[in-house]
C-alpha cells in the first residue's frame, strides 16, 4: 500500500487557469483523511504555490523551483541547491537573443522571479494564463550579482533547442529541461524533483518506493521514475514521453481530472 502522493502542478494537478477542480480537491481531502500524505513538487517558486495550497486548505511540505528548494509544512526552507556561479556566468555570457530569437530570459533568485529590464509585458503576456507572479526587473549588466537558483527561457520551441545546444557547450554541471515546449530551464545537476522527493520523504519517514507521483513535463522525469510508481499525464509533453519506457503508465489529461480519477481508483475503492 502506498503511503504518499507527490504531484506536479501545472499541466497535472491544475485543470484550468490557476485553479484545481472541485473533484480533485475533494479527492485529495479524502485520501489525506485516510492517512495518505500529499505533497506538491513544482517548478514554481514557493510563493506561487501558496494560493494553490490555499485552495486545498492544507499545510504541507512543498518542493519548489523543480527541486532546487524544499519547504516544510510551516513554510520554513529546509533544502536549497542552486546553480554554481561558473555555470550561471557562462550562461549569462551567451548572446541568447541572437541564438533563440524572441526568447525571454528569466531567473529565480531566492523568492524572486527576475526578468531583464523592459521585458515585463512580453513575459507577462506569455505566462499570465498559467501562473500568478510579480516580477522584478533587473538590468542585464547586474544579473551576475544575483544568487541564482535556476535560469529559464520562454520562447519558441525550435529556437530554444538551438539555445540548449549552446548552453551545454559552455557549462559543466547543469541539466537542461523543458517544463513545456515553450519553457526551457537550466538547473544544477544536483537539483531535480526526484532527489528532492528522496530528501523530503526520508524526513517524513516514508520510503521512496512507498510513494506515487504524477507529472507531465521533462522536469518530472526523475520524480516519476524514482518513486514506487509514477504516472504520466495524458497531456505529457513529447520530451517526457521520449524519456519514459514504452510501457510507462499514463492517466487522463489534467483537464479531465486524470490524477484525481487515478487516486480514487488507488485509494478510495
Amino acid at each position: 500500500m502506498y503511503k504518499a502522493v507527490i504531484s506536479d502542478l501545472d499541466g497535472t494537478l491544475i485543470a484550468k487557469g490557476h485553479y484545481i477542480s472541485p473533484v480533485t480537491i475533494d479527492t485529495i481531502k479524502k485520501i489525506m483523511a485516510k492517512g495518505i500524505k500529499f505533497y506538491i513538487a513544482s517548478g514554481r517558486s514557493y510563493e506561487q504555490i501558496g494560493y494553490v495550497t490555499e485552495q486545498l486548505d492544507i499545510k504541507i511540505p512543498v518542493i519548489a523551483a523543480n527541486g532546487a528548494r524544499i519547504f516544510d509544512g510551516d513554510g520554513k526552507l529546509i533544502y536549497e541547491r542552486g546553480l554554481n556561479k561558473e555555470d550561471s556566468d557562462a550562461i549569462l555570457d551567451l548572446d541568447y537573443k541572437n541564438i533563440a530569437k524572441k526568447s525571454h530570459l528569466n531567473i529565480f533568485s531566492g523568492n524572486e522571479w527576475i526578468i531583464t529590464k523592459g521585458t515585463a509585458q512580453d513575459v507577462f503576456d506569455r505566462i499570465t494564463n498559467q501562473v500568478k507572479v510579480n516580477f522584478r526587473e533587473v538590468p542585464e549588466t547586474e544579473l551576475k550579482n544575483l544568487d541564482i537558483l535556476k535560469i529559464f527561457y520562454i520562447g519558441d520551441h525550435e529556437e530554444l533547442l538551438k539555445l540548449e545546444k549552446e548552453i551545454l557547450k559552455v557549462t559543466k554541471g547543469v541539466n537542461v529541461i523543458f517544463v513545456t515546449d515553450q519553457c526551457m530551464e537550466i538547473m544544477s545537476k544536483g537539483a531535480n524533483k526526484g532527489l528532492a522527493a528522496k530528501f523530503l520523504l526520508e524526513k517524513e519517514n516514508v520510503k521512496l518506493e512507498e510513494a506515487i507521483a504524477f507529472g507531465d513535463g521533462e522536469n518530472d522525469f526523475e520524480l516519476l521514475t524514482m518513486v514506487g510508481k509514477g504516472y504520466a499525464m495524458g497531456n505529457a509533453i513529447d520530451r517526457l514521453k521520449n524519456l519514459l519506457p514504452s510501457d510507462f503508465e499514463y492517466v487522463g489529461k489534467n483537464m479531465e481530472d486524470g490524477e484525481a480519477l487515478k487516486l480514487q481508483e488507488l485509494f478510495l475503492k
Side-chain angles (χ1 to χ4, degrees):
M1 181 65 174
Y2 296 112
K3 298 180 179 179
V5 177
I6 307 169
S7 177
D8 172 50
L9 278 186
D10 298 287
T12 302
L13 193 70
I14 292 177
K16 187 175 182 180
H18 308 295
Y19 300 99
I20 304 174
S21 75
V23 171
T24 298
I25 291 173
D26 181 64
T27 299
I28 292 171
K29 288 184 175 181
K30 284 179 177 177
I31 68 169
M32 291 187 70
K34 295 186 70 170
I36 307 299
K37 295 179 181 291
F38 186 83
Y39 310 102
I40 286 172
S42 174
R44 301 183 183 200
S45 71
Y46 183 74
E47 286 68 23
Q48 295 153 12
I49 297 169
Y51 70 88
V52 177
T53 54
E54 287 175 4
Q55 294 174 52
L56 295 171
D57 194 27
I58 53 177
K59 292 177 65 176
I60 55 172
V62 164
I63 295 169
N66 281 327
R69 296 183 120 196
I70 304 175
F71 295 82
D72 66 16
D74 294 319
K76 178 183 177 183
L77 180 66
I78 58 174
Y79 176 91
E80 185 172 70
R81 180 71 177 266
L83 282 167
N84 67 62
K85 184 162 178 56
E86 181 181 358
D87 282 331
S88 62
D89 282 355
I91 294 167
L92 294 174
D93 281 337
L94 289 172
D95 186 5
Y96 73 93
K97 293 177 183 177
N98 283 324
I99 300 169
K101 300 184 187 306
K102 297 182 180 180
S103 64
H104 298 287
L105 170 66
N106 302 256
I107 289 172
F108 272 12
S109 177
N111 294 322
E112 294 186 303
W113 184 326
I114 307 294
I115 59 175
T116 57
K117 200 164 186 64
T119 63
Q121 190 59 54
D122 286 338
V123 176
F124 185 78
D125 289 343
R126 283 182 176 269
I127 59 88
T128 184
N129 292 323
Q130 303 170 41
V131 59
K132 296 177 180 179
V133 62
N134 292 316
F135 305 115
R136 181 161 76 90
E137 294 185 74
V138 172
E140 288 196 39
T141 54
E142 297 179 15
L143 295 178
K144 287 185 179 181
N145 298 328
L146 299 170
D147 185 12
I148 298 176
L149 285 172
K150 69 176 184 179
I151 297 172
F152 57 110
Y153 298 86
I154 299 171
D156 297 327
H157 185 65
E158 294 303 318
E159 295 292 317
L160 293 177
L161 290 175
K162 297 175 186 177
L163 183 56
E164 177 187 22
K165 291 179 181 179
E166 297 304 314
I167 288 171
L168 291 174
K169 287 180 184 178
V170 300
T171 56
K172 297 178 181 179
V174 307
N175 281 330
V176 181
I177 53 176
F178 279 78
V179 178
T180 68
D181 287 337
Q182 291 74 43
C183 183
M184 182 182 74
E185 305 202 353
I186 302 93
M187 311 279 299
S188 164
K189 279 188 177 178
N192 63 61
K193 291 183 181 181
L195 291 175
K198 183 176 185 294
F199 177 90
L200 177 59
L201 290 174
E202 286 177 353
K203 291 184 73 68
E204 296 276 297
N205 296 314
V206 178
K207 297 177 182 177
L208 202 57
E209 58 266 28
E210 294 175 324
I212 66 172
F214 296 84
D216 74 304
E218 186 181 10
N219 56 321
D220 298 308
F221 173 73
E222 291 87 358
L223 174 63
L224 296 179
T225 54
M226 287 174 66
V227 295
K229 179 66 177 179
Y231 296 96
M233 303 302 294
N235 51 280
I237 67 172
D238 287 342
R239 293 269 298 212
L240 175 61
K241 292 178 180 178
N242 293 337
L243 288 172
L244 294 171
S246 59
D247 61 348
F248 203 82
E249 187 167 349
Y250 288 76
V251 298
K253 297 179 180 180
N254 66 316
M255 298 294 287
E256 301 167 350
D257 294 314
E259 178 177 343
L261 294 177
K262 176 55 70 171
L263 291 176
Q264 291 172 16
E265 175 188 322
L266 293 172
F267 300 112
L268 301 179
K269 292 185 178 179

